Amino acid sequence: MARFKGQAEYSVDAKGRTAIPAKMRAALSPDAQGTFTLTKGFERCIYAYPMDQWKLKEDEYSSLNTNDREARHLVRMILMWAEEVSLDGQGRISLPKSLSEYAGIGDKALIIGNMDRIELWNPEAFSTYLQENSEDQESLVQKVMGS
Amino acid sequence: MARFKGQAEYSVDAKGRTAIPAKMRAALSPDAQGTFTLTKGFERCIYAYPMDQWKLKEDEYSSLNTNDREARHLVRMILMWAEEVSLDGQGRISLPKSLSEYAGIGDKALIIGNMDRIELWNPEAFSTYLQENSEDQESLVQKVMGS
DNA sequence: AGGTATGTGGGGAAAAGTGGGGCGTTTGCC
DNA sequence: GGCAAACGCCCCACTTTTCCCCACATACCT
């Protein structure tokens, strides 16, 4: 299973393309075939799941009961924003307009490795997010992960 | 099994034809033979099942007890609106009047990939639907998919 | 300091989306 | 039964977008 980490601020060109850091590309499983599925993430960023990881997500969703109204709505909300993109010859992906708009990404993107997914942020939005969530990390660790 | 995702707003021409996004066509199983079965969907949209998926649906319905009045009625209601359509040379399908009327689709259609089916919406009707179901996604995830 | 790998930008070919025309079949009317 | 209008179907043509490839610049490693 691919495990991503680290961060980098890359530019997004006029065609909406942005490079994926070489280190993250190296961490990609061959099963992913250089393909990601992008979706809306929490906190106004874009989640990028390698294909192999996304398959697992889809399996989860398909096991939900489509006759239940709320489940139906949830799956619809998740999938309608999902888009599959592949790395081009230069290790870039192109961001769909709908998603880069959602995340407020213009000509710069902050790329963060986060376990089984990669996150793409508007750099300013991320620093705002940091300020708003500047709780002391030590006490956060204690709260989330126990003693 | 085909897994559809993503969204696109396409035009419906004067002849009632609308294109299916190339990415969804690509996701189509060869077994479907470029053929869909359209039915009334929940929430005033049209469901389009690829032929192979529809076969499974039919199996489900035929396994219901035809001696039960309600089951009989349900199957009748579903099947009377079902219509089979095929992609033309340009990757389009033509929408039966009865269904496009039901969904309120005029000269624009919002096309949404939703797992084993494709949904066709009136764009305005969909944004209304969104407003009426604007529950916080975070809590919805928690409710539907557990902690 | 040179070579290799990485990130950035742009141009051209191919495909996707959109609209319209023509032919054959069906349907309704005279 | 014959005619005409309507409808569906298939093909063709145009426009726009997307994708792929090539070229340059910068950073890194040796």
Coordinates of all heavy atoms in Angstrom, one line a residue, chain B residues 14-95:
Chain B
A14 N -32.5 19.7 -30.7 CA -33.9 19.8 -31.0 C -34.6 18.4 -31.2 O -35.8 18.3 -31.1 CB -34.1 20.6 -32.3
K15 N -33.7 17.4 -31.4 CA -34.3 16.1 -31.7 C -34.3 15.2 -30.4 O -34.6 14.0 -30.4 CB -33.5 15.4 -32.7 CG -33.5 16.0 -34.1 CD -32.7 15.3 -35.1 CE -32.7 16.0 -36.5 NZ -31.9 15.3 -37.4
G16 N -34.0 15.9 -29.3 CA -34.0 15.2 -28.0 C -32.8 14.2 -27.8 O -32.9 13.3 -27.0
R17 N -31.7 14.5 -28.4 CA -30.6 13.7 -28.3 C -29.6 14.4 -27.3 O -29.4 15.6 -27.3 CB -29.9 13.5 -29.6 CG -30.7 12.8 -30.6 CD -30.0 12.8 -32.0 NE -29.7 14.1 -32.5 CZ -29.1 14.3 -33.7 NH1 -28.8 13.3 -34.4 NH2 -28.9 15.6 -34.1
T18 N -28.9 13.6 -26.5 CA -27.8 14.1 -25.7 C -26.7 13.2 -25.7 O -26.8 11.9 -25.7 CB -28.4 14.4 -24.2 OG1 -27.4 15.1 -23.5 CG2 -28.6 13.1 -23.5
A19 N -25.5 13.7 -25.6 CA -24.3 12.9 -25.6 C -24.0 12.3 -24.3 O -24.3 12.9 -23.2 CB -23.1 13.8 -26.1
I20 N -23.4 11.2 -24.2 CA -22.9 10.6 -23.0 C -21.4 10.9 -22.9 O -20.7 10.7 -23.9 CB -23.1 9.1 -23.0 CG1 -24.6 8.7 -23.1 CG2 -22.5 8.4 -21.8 CD1 -25.4 9.2 -21.9
P21 N -20.9 11.5 -21.8 CA -19.5 11.8 -21.7 C -18.6 10.7 -22.1 O -18.9 9.5 -21.7 CB -19.4 12.2 -20.2 CG -20.7 12.6 -19.8 CD -21.7 11.8 -20.6
A22 N -17.6 11.0 -22.8 CA -16.6 10.0 -23.3 C -16.1 9.2 -22.2 O -15.9 7.9 -22.4 CB -15.5 10.7 -24.1
K23 N -15.8 9.8 -21.0 CA -15.3 9.0 -19.9 C -16.2 7.9 -19.4 O -15.8 6.8 -19.1 CB -14.9 9.9 -18.8 CG -13.7 10.8 -19.1 CD -13.1 11.4 -17.9 CE -11.8 12.2 -18.3 NZ -11.2 12.8 -17.1
M24 N -17.5 8.2 -19.5 CA -18.5 7.2 -19.1 C -18.6 6.2 -20.1 O -18.8 5.0 -19.8 CB -19.8 7.9 -18.8 CG -19.8 8.9 -17.6 SD -21.4 9.5 -17.1 CE -20.9 10.9 -16.1
R25 N -18.5 6.6 -21.4 CA -18.6 5.6 -22.4 C -17.4 4.6 -22.3 O -17.6 3.4 -22.6 CB -18.6 6.3 -23.8 CG -19.8 7.1 -24.1 CD -20.0 7.3 -25.6 NE -18.9 7.9 -26.3 CZ -18.7 9.2 -26.6 NH1 -19.7 10.0 -26.2 NH2 -17.7 9.6 -27.2
A26 N -16.3 5.2 -21.9 CA -15.1 4.4 -21.8 C -15.3 3.4 -20.6 O -14.7 2.3 -20.7 CB -13.9 5.2 -21.6
A27 N -16.0 3.8 -19.6 CA -16.2 2.9 -18.5 C -17.2 1.8 -18.7 O -17.3 0.9 -17.9 CB -16.6 3.7 -17.3
L28 N -17.9 1.9 -19.8 CA -18.9 1.0 -20.2 C -18.4 -0.4 -20.5 O -17.4 -0.5 -21.2 CB -19.7 1.5 -21.4 CG -21.1 1.1 -21.6 CD1 -22.0 1.5 -20.4 CD2 -21.6 1.8 -22.9
S29 N -19.0 -1.4 -19.9 CA -18.5 -2.8 -20.2 C -18.9 -3.2 -21.7 O -20.0 -2.7 -22.2 CB -19.2 -3.8 -19.2 OG -19.4 -5.0 -19.8
P30 N -18.1 -3.9 -22.3 CA -18.4 -4.4 -23.7 C -19.7 -5.1 -23.7 O -20.5 -5.1 -24.7 CB -17.3 -5.3 -24.1 CG -16.2 -4.9 -23.2 CD -16.8 -4.5 -21.9
D31 N -20.0 -5.8 -22.6 CA -21.3 -6.6 -22.6 C -22.5 -5.7 -22.8 O -23.6 -6.2 -23.2 CB -21.4 -7.3 -21.2 CG -20.3 -8.3 -21.0 OD1 -19.7 -8.7 -22.0 OD2 -20.0 -8.6 -19.8
A32 N -22.4 -4.4 -22.5 CA -23.5 -3.5 -22.5 C -23.9 -3.2 -24.0 O -25.0 -2.8 -24.3 CB -23.3 -2.3 -21.8
Q33 N -22.9 -3.5 -24.9 CA -23.1 -3.3 -26.3 C -23.7 -1.9 -26.6 O -24.5 -1.7 -27.5 CB -24.1 -4.3 -26.9 CG -23.6 -5.7 -26.7 CD -24.6 -6.7 -27.2 OE1 -25.3 -7.4 -26.4 NE2 -24.8 -6.8 -28.5
G34 N -23.2 -0.9 -25.9 CA -23.6 0.5 -26.1 C -25.1 0.7 -25.9 O -25.6 1.7 -26.5
T35 N -25.7 -0.1 -25.1 CA -27.1 0.0 -24.9 C -27.5 0.3 -23.5 O -26.9 -0.3 -22.6 CB -27.8 -1.3 -25.4 OG1 -27.5 -1.5 -26.8 CG2 -29.3 -1.2 -25.3
F36 N -28.4 1.2 -23.3 CA -28.9 1.5 -21.9 C -30.4 1.2 -21.8 O -31.1 1.3 -22.8 CB -28.6 3.0 -21.6 CG -27.2 3.4 -21.5 CD1 -26.5 3.7 -22.6 CD2 -26.5 3.4 -20.3 CE1 -25.2 4.1 -22.6 CE2 -25.2 3.8 -20.2 CZ -24.5 4.1 -21.3
T37 N -30.8 1.0 -20.6 CA -32.2 1.0 -20.3 C -32.5 2.2 -19.4 O -31.9 2.3 -18.4 CB -32.6 -0.3 -19.6 OG1 -32.4 -1.4 -20.5 CG2 -34.1 -0.2 -19.3
L38 N -33.4 3.1 -19.9 CA -33.7 4.2 -19.1 C -35.0 4.0 -18.3 O -35.9 3.3 -18.8 CB -34.0 5.4 -20.1 CG -32.9 5.7 -21.1 CD1 -33.3 6.9 -21.9 CD2 -31.6 6.0 -20.4
T39 N -35.0 4.5 -17.1 CA -36.2 4.4 -16.3 C -36.3 5.6 -15.4 O -35.4 6.4 -15.3 CB -36.1 3.2 -15.3 OG1 -35.0 3.4 -14.4 CG2 -36.0 1.9 -16.0
K40 N -37.5 5.8 -14.8 CA -37.7 6.8 -13.9 C -36.8 6.6 -12.7 O -36.8 5.5 -12.1 CB -39.2 6.8 -13.3 CG -40.2 7.5 -14.2 CD -41.5 7.6 -13.4 CE -42.6 8.3 -14.2 NZ -43.8 8.4 -13.4
G41 N -36.1 7.6 -12.3 CA -35.3 7.5 -11.1 C -35.9 8.2 -9.9 O -36.9 8.9 -10.1
F42 N -35.4 8.0 -8.7 CA -35.9 8.7 -7.6 C -35.5 10.2 -7.8 O -34.6 10.5 -8.6 CB -35.2 8.2 -6.3 CG -35.7 6.8 -6.0 CD1 -34.8 5.7 -5.8 CD2 -37.1 6.5 -5.9 CE1 -35.2 4.5 -5.4 CE2 -37.5 5.2 -5.6 CZ -36.6 4.2 -5.3
E43 N -36.1 11.0 -7.0 CA -35.8 12.5 -7.0 C -35.9 13.1 -8.4 O -35.0 13.9 -8.8 CB -34.4 12.7 -6.4 CG -34.3 12.6 -5.0 CD -33.9 11.2 -4.5 OE1 -33.1 10.6 -5.2 OE2 -34.3 10.8 -3.4
R44 N -36.9 12.7 -9.2 CA -37.1 13.3 -10.5 C -35.9 13.4 -11.4 O -35.5 14.5 -11.9 CB -37.7 14.7 -10.3 CG -39.0 14.8 -9.6 CD -40.0 15.7 -10.3 NE -41.3 15.2 -10.1 CZ -42.2 14.8 -11.0 NH1 -41.9 15.0 -12.3 NH2 -43.4 14.4 -10.7
C45 N -35.3 12.3 -11.6 CA -34.2 12.2 -12.6 C -34.4 11.0 -13.4 O -35.3 10.1 -13.1 CB -32.8 12.3 -12.0 SG -32.4 10.8 -11.1
I46 N -33.6 10.8 -14.5 CA -33.7 9.6 -15.3 C -32.5 8.7 -14.9 O -31.4 9.2 -14.9 CB -33.6 9.9 -16.8 CG1 -34.8 10.8 -17.1 CG2 -33.6 8.7 -17.6 CD1 -34.8 11.3 -18.6
Y47 N -32.7 7.4 -14.7 CA -31.7 6.5 -14.5 C -31.4 5.8 -15.8 O -32.3 5.4 -16.5 CB -32.1 5.4 -13.5 CG -32.1 5.8 -12.0 CD1 -32.6 4.9 -11.1 CD2 -31.7 7.0 -11.6 CE1 -32.7 5.2 -9.7 CE2 -31.7 7.4 -10.2 CZ -32.2 6.5 -9.3 OH -32.3 6.8 -8.0
A48 N -30.1 5.7 -16.1 CA -29.7 4.9 -17.3 C -28.8 3.8 -16.9 O -27.7 4.0 -16.4 CB -29.0 5.9 -18.3
Y49 N -29.3 2.6 -17.0 CA -28.5 1.4 -16.7 C -27.9 0.8 -17.9 O -28.6 0.5 -18.9 CB -29.3 0.3 -16.0 CG -29.7 0.7 -14.6 CD1 -31.0 1.3 -14.3 CD2 -28.9 0.5 -13.5 CE1 -31.4 1.6 -13.0 CE2 -29.3 0.8 -12.2 CZ -30.5 1.4 -12.0 OH -30.9 1.7 -10.7
P50 N -26.6 0.5 -18.0 CA -26.0 -0.2 -19.1 C -26.7 -1.6 -19.2 O -27.2 -2.1 -18.1 CB -24.6 -0.4 -18.7 CG -24.3 0.4 -17.6 CD -25.6 0.8 -16.9
M51 N -26.8 -2.2 -20.3 CA -27.6 -3.4 -20.5 C -27.2 -4.5 -19.6 O -28.1 -5.1 -19.0 CB -27.4 -3.9 -22.0 CG -28.4 -5.0 -22.4 SD -27.7 -5.9 -23.7 CE -28.4 -5.0 -25.1
D52 N -25.9 -4.7 -19.3 CA -25.5 -5.8 -18.4 C -26.0 -5.5 -17.0 O -26.4 -6.5 -16.3 CB -24.0 -5.9 -18.5 CG -23.2 -4.6 -18.2 OD1 -23.8 -3.6 -18.5 OD2 -22.1 -4.7 -17.7
Q53 N -26.0 -4.3 -16.6 CA -26.5 -4.0 -15.2 C -28.0 -4.2 -15.1 O -28.5 -4.6 -14.1 CB -26.1 -2.6 -14.8 CG -24.6 -2.4 -14.6 CD -24.1 -3.3 -13.4 OE1 -24.8 -3.4 -12.4 NE2 -23.0 -3.9 -13.6
W54 N -28.6 -3.8 -16.2 CA -30.1 -3.8 -16.2 C -30.6 -5.3 -16.1 O -31.5 -5.6 -15.4 CB -30.7 -3.2 -17.5 CG -32.1 -3.3 -17.5 CD1 -32.9 -4.1 -18.3 CD2 -33.1 -2.6 -16.7 NE1 -34.2 -3.9 -18.1 CE2 -34.4 -3.0 -17.1 CE3 -33.0 -1.6 -15.7 CZ2 -35.5 -2.5 -16.5 CZ3 -34.1 -1.1 -15.1 CH2 -35.4 -1.6 -15.5
K55 N -29.8 -6.2 -16.7 CA -30.2 -7.6 -16.6 C -30.3 -8.0 -15.2 O -31.2 -8.7 -14.8 CB -29.1 -8.4 -17.4 CG -29.2 -8.3 -18.9 CD -29.8 -9.5 -19.5 CE -29.9 -9.3 -21.1 NZ -30.9 -8.3 -21.4
L56 N -29.3 -7.5 -14.4 CA -29.3 -7.9 -13.0 C -30.5 -7.4 -12.3 O -31.1 -8.0 -11.4 CB -28.0 -7.4 -12.3 CG -26.7 -7.8 -12.9 CD1 -25.5 -7.2 -12.2 CD2 -26.6 -9.4 -12.8
K57 N -30.9 -6.1 -12.6 CA -32.1 -5.5 -12.0 C -33.3 -6.3 -12.4 O -34.1 -6.6 -11.5 CB -32.2 -4.1 -12.6 CG -31.3 -3.1 -12.0 CD -32.0 -2.4 -10.9 CE -30.9 -1.7 -10.0 NZ -31.5 -1.3 -8.7
E58 N -33.4 -6.7 -13.6 CA -34.5 -7.5 -14.0 C -34.6 -8.8 -13.3 O -35.7 -9.3 -12.9 CB -34.4 -7.8 -15.5 CG -35.0 -6.7 -16.4 CD -35.1 -7.1 -17.9 OE1 -34.5 -8.2 -18.2 OE2 -35.8 -6.4 -18.7
D59 N -33.4 -9.4 -13.0 CA -33.4 -10.7 -12.2 C -34.0 -10.4 -10.9 O -34.8 -11.2 -10.3 CB -32.0 -11.2 -12.1 CG -31.5 -11.7 -13.5 OD1 -32.3 -11.8 -14.4 OD2 -30.2 -11.8 -13.6
E60 N -33.6 -9.3 -10.3 CA -34.1 -8.9 -9.0 C -35.7 -8.8 -9.0 O -36.3 -9.4 -8.1 CB -33.6 -7.5 -8.6 CG -32.6 -7.5 -7.5 CD -32.2 -6.0 -7.2 OE1 -33.0 -5.4 -6.5 OE2 -31.2 -5.6 -7.7
Y61 N -36.2 -8.1 -10.0 CA -37.6 -7.9 -10.0 C -38.3 -9.3 -10.3 O -39.4 -9.5 -9.7 CB -38.0 -7.0 -11.2 CG -37.4 -5.6 -11.0 CD1 -36.9 -4.9 -12.1 CD2 -37.3 -5.0 -9.7 CE1 -36.3 -3.7 -11.9 CE2 -36.7 -3.8 -9.6 CZ -36.2 -3.1 -10.7 OH -35.6 -1.9 -10.5
S62 N -37.7 -10.1 -11.1 CA -38.4 -11.4 -11.4 C -38.4 -12.3 -10.2 O -39.2 -13.2 -10.2 CB -37.8 -12.0 -12.6 OG -36.5 -12.5 -12.3
S63 N -37.5 -12.0 -9.3 CA -37.5 -12.9 -8.1 C -38.5 -12.5 -7.1 O -38.7 -13.2 -6.1 CB -36.1 -12.9 -7.5 OG -35.8 -11.7 -6.9
L64 N -39.1 -11.3 -7.3 CA -40.1 -10.9 -6.3 C -41.4 -11.8 -6.5 O -41.6 -12.3 -7.5 CB -40.5 -9.4 -6.6 CG -39.4 -8.4 -6.3 CD1 -39.9 -7.0 -6.7 CD2 -39.0 -8.5 -4.8
N65 N -42.1 -11.8 -5.4 CA -43.3 -12.7 -5.4 C -44.5 -12.0 -6.2 O -45.0 -11.0 -5.8 CB -43.7 -12.9 -3.9 CG -45.0 -13.8 -3.8 OD1 -45.5 -14.2 -4.9 ND2 -45.4 -14.1 -2.6
T66 N -44.8 -12.6 -7.3 CA -45.9 -12.0 -8.1 C -47.3 -12.2 -7.6 O -48.2 -11.7 -8.1 CB -45.8 -12.5 -9.6 OG1 -45.8 -13.9 -9.5 CG2 -44.6 -12.0 -10.3
N67 N -47.3 -12.9 -6.5 CA -48.7 -13.1 -5.9 C -48.9 -12.0 -4.9 O -50.1 -11.8 -4.4 CB -48.7 -14.4 -5.1 CG -48.7 -15.6 -6.1 OD1 -49.2 -15.4 -7.2 ND2 -48.0 -16.6 -5.8
D68 N -47.9 -11.2 -4.6 CA -48.1 -10.1 -3.6 C -48.5 -8.9 -4.4 O -47.8 -8.4 -5.4 CB -46.8 -9.8 -2.9 CG -46.9 -8.7 -2.0 OD1 -47.7 -8.8 -1.0 OD2 -46.2 -7.6 -2.2
R69 N -49.6 -8.3 -4.0 CA -50.2 -7.2 -4.8 C -49.2 -6.0 -4.9 O -49.1 -5.4 -5.9 CB -51.5 -6.7 -4.1 CG -52.2 -5.6 -4.8 CD -53.4 -5.1 -4.0 NE -54.0 -4.0 -4.7 CZ -55.0 -4.2 -5.6 NH1 -55.4 -5.4 -5.9 NH2 -55.5 -3.2 -6.3
E70 N -48.6 -5.7 -3.8 CA -47.7 -4.5 -3.8 C -46.4 -4.7 -4.7 O -46.0 -3.8 -5.4 CB -47.3 -4.1 -2.4 CG -48.4 -3.5 -1.6 CD -47.9 -3.0 -0.2 OE1 -47.0 -3.6 0.3 OE2 -48.5 -2.0 0.2
A71 N -45.9 -5.9 -4.6 CA -44.7 -6.2 -5.4 C -45.1 -6.2 -6.9 O -44.4 -5.6 -7.7 CB -44.2 -7.6 -5.1
R72 N -46.3 -6.7 -7.2 CA -46.8 -6.7 -8.6 C -46.9 -5.3 -9.1 O -46.5 -4.9 -10.2 CB -48.1 -7.4 -8.6 CG -48.5 -8.1 -9.9 CD -49.6 -9.1 -9.7 NE -50.8 -8.5 -9.0 CZ -51.4 -9.1 -8.0 NH1 -50.9 -10.2 -7.4 NH2 -52.5 -8.5 -7.5
H73 N -47.4 -4.4 -8.2 CA -47.6 -3.0 -8.6 C -46.3 -2.3 -8.8 O -46.0 -1.6 -9.8 CB -48.4 -2.3 -7.5 CG -48.6 -0.8 -7.8 ND1 -49.4 -0.4 -8.8 CD2 -48.1 0.3 -7.2 CE1 -49.3 0.9 -8.9 NE2 -48.6 1.4 -7.9
L74 N -45.3 -2.6 -7.9 CA -44.0 -2.0 -8.0 C -43.3 -2.4 -9.3 O -42.8 -1.5 -10.1 CB -43.1 -2.5 -6.8 CG -41.7 -2.0 -6.8 CD1 -41.7 -0.4 -6.6 CD2 -40.9 -2.6 -5.7
V75 N -43.3 -3.6 -9.7 CA -42.7 -4.1 -10.9 C -43.4 -3.4 -12.1 O -42.7 -3.0 -13.0 CB -42.7 -5.6 -11.0 CG1 -42.2 -6.1 -12.4 CG2 -41.9 -6.2 -9.9
R76 N -44.7 -3.4 -12.0 CA -45.4 -2.8 -13.1 C -45.0 -1.3 -13.3 O -44.7 -0.9 -14.5 CB -46.9 -2.9 -12.8 CG -47.8 -2.7 -14.0 CD -49.3 -3.0 -13.5 NE -49.6 -4.4 -13.5 CZ -50.5 -5.0 -12.7 NH1 -51.0 -4.3 -11.7 NH2 -50.8 -6.3 -12.8
M77 N -44.9 -0.6 -12.2 CA -44.6 0.8 -12.3 C -43.1 1.0 -12.9 O -42.9 2.0 -13.6 CB -44.6 1.5 -10.9 CG -46.0 1.7 -10.4 SD -47.0 2.8 -11.5 CE -48.0 1.6 -12.3
I78 N -42.3 0.2 -12.5 CA -40.9 0.3 -12.9 C -40.8 0.0 -14.4 O -40.2 0.8 -15.2 CB -40.0 -0.6 -12.1 CG1 -39.9 -0.1 -10.7 CG2 -38.6 -0.7 -12.7 CD1 -39.2 -1.0 -9.7
L79 N -41.4 -1.1 -14.8 CA -41.2 -1.6 -16.2 C -41.9 -0.7 -17.2 O -41.5 -0.6 -18.3 CB -41.6 -3.0 -16.3 CG -40.6 -4.0 -15.6 CD1 -41.0 -5.4 -15.9 CD2 -39.2 -3.7 -16.0
M80 N -43.0 -0.1 -16.8 CA -43.8 0.6 -17.8 C -43.1 1.8 -18.3 O -43.3 2.3 -19.4 CB -45.2 0.9 -17.3 CG -45.3 2.0 -16.3 SD -47.0 2.5 -15.9 CE -47.4 3.4 -17.4
W81 N -42.1 2.3 -17.5 CA -41.4 3.5 -17.9 C -40.0 3.1 -18.5 O -39.3 4.0 -18.9 CB -41.2 4.4 -16.7 CG -42.5 5.0 -16.2 CD1 -43.2 4.6 -15.1 CD2 -43.2 6.0 -16.7 NE1 -44.3 5.3 -14.9 CE2 -44.4 6.2 -15.9 CE3 -43.0 6.9 -17.9 CZ2 -45.3 7.2 -16.2 CZ3 -44.0 7.8 -18.1 CH2 -45.1 8.0 -17.3
A82 N -39.7 1.9 -18.5 CA -38.4 1.5 -18.9 C -38.3 1.5 -20.5 O -39.3 1.1 -21.1 CB -38.0 0.1 -18.4
E83 N -37.2 2.0 -21.0 CA -37.1 2.1 -22.4 C -35.6 1.8 -22.8 O -34.7 2.3 -22.1 CB -37.5 3.5 -22.9 CG -37.5 3.7 -24.4 CD -39.0 3.9 -24.8 OE1 -39.9 4.0 -23.9 OE2 -39.2 3.9 -26.0
E84 N -35.4 1.0 -23.8 CA -34.1 0.7 -24.2 C -33.6 1.6 -25.3 O -34.3 1.9 -26.3 CB -34.0 -0.7 -24.7 CG -32.6 -1.4 -24.6 CD -32.7 -2.9 -24.8 OE1 -33.1 -3.6 -23.9 OE2 -32.4 -3.3 -25.9
V85 N -32.4 2.2 -25.1 CA -31.8 3.1 -26.2 C -30.4 2.7 -26.4 O -29.7 2.2 -25.5 CB -31.9 4.6 -25.7 CG1 -33.4 5.0 -25.6 CG2 -31.2 4.8 -24.4
S86 N -29.9 3.0 -27.6 CA -28.5 2.7 -28.0 C -27.8 4.0 -28.4 O -28.4 4.9 -28.8 CB -28.5 1.7 -29.1 OG -28.9 0.4 -28.6
L87 N -26.5 3.9 -28.1 CA -25.6 5.0 -28.6 C -25.6 5.1 -30.1 O -25.5 4.1 -30.8 CB -24.2 4.8 -28.0 CG -24.0 4.9 -26.5 CD1 -22.7 4.4 -26.1 CD2 -24.2 6.3 -26.0
D88 N -25.7 6.3 -30.6 CA -25.5 6.4 -32.1 C -24.0 6.6 -32.4 O -23.2 6.5 -31.5 CB -26.4 7.6 -32.6 CG -25.9 8.9 -32.2 OD1 -24.8 9.0 -31.6 OD2 -26.6 9.9 -32.4
G89 N -23.7 6.8 -33.7 CA -22.3 6.9 -34.1 C -21.5 8.0 -33.4 O -20.3 7.9 -33.3
Q90 N -22.2 9.0 -32.9 CA -21.5 10.1 -32.2 C -21.6 9.9 -30.7 O -21.4 10.9 -30.0 CB -22.2 11.4 -32.6 CG -21.7 11.9 -33.9 CD -22.3 11.2 -35.0 OE1 -21.8 10.3 -35.6 NE2 -23.5 11.6 -35.4
G91 N -22.0 8.8 -30.1 CA -22.0 8.6 -28.7 C -23.1 9.3 -28.0 O -23.0 9.6 -26.8
R92 N -24.2 9.4 -28.7 CA -25.4 10.0 -28.1 C -26.6 9.0 -27.9 O -26.6 8.0 -28.6 CB -26.0 11.2 -29.0 CG -25.0 12.3 -29.1 CD -25.5 13.3 -30.1 NE -25.5 12.8 -31.5 CZ -25.6 13.6 -32.6 NH1 -25.9 14.9 -32.4 NH2 -25.6 13.1 -33.8
I93 N -27.5 9.4 -27.0 CA -28.7 8.6 -26.9 C -29.9 9.6 -27.1 O -29.7 10.8 -26.9 CB -28.9 7.9 -25.6 CG1 -28.8 8.9 -24.4 CG2 -27.8 6.8 -25.4 CD1 -29.1 8.3 -23.1
S94 N -31.0 9.1 -27.5 CA -32.2 10.0 -27.6 C -33.1 9.7 -26.5 O -33.4 8.5 -26.2 CB -32.8 9.9 -29.0 OG -33.2 8.6 -29.2
L95 N -33.6 10.8 -25.8 CA -34.4 10.6 -24.6 C -35.9 10.5 -25.0 O -36.4 11.4 -25.7 CB -34.2 11.8 -23.7 CG -32.7 12.1 -23.3 CD1 -32.7 13.4 -22.5 CD2 -32.1 11.0 -22.6

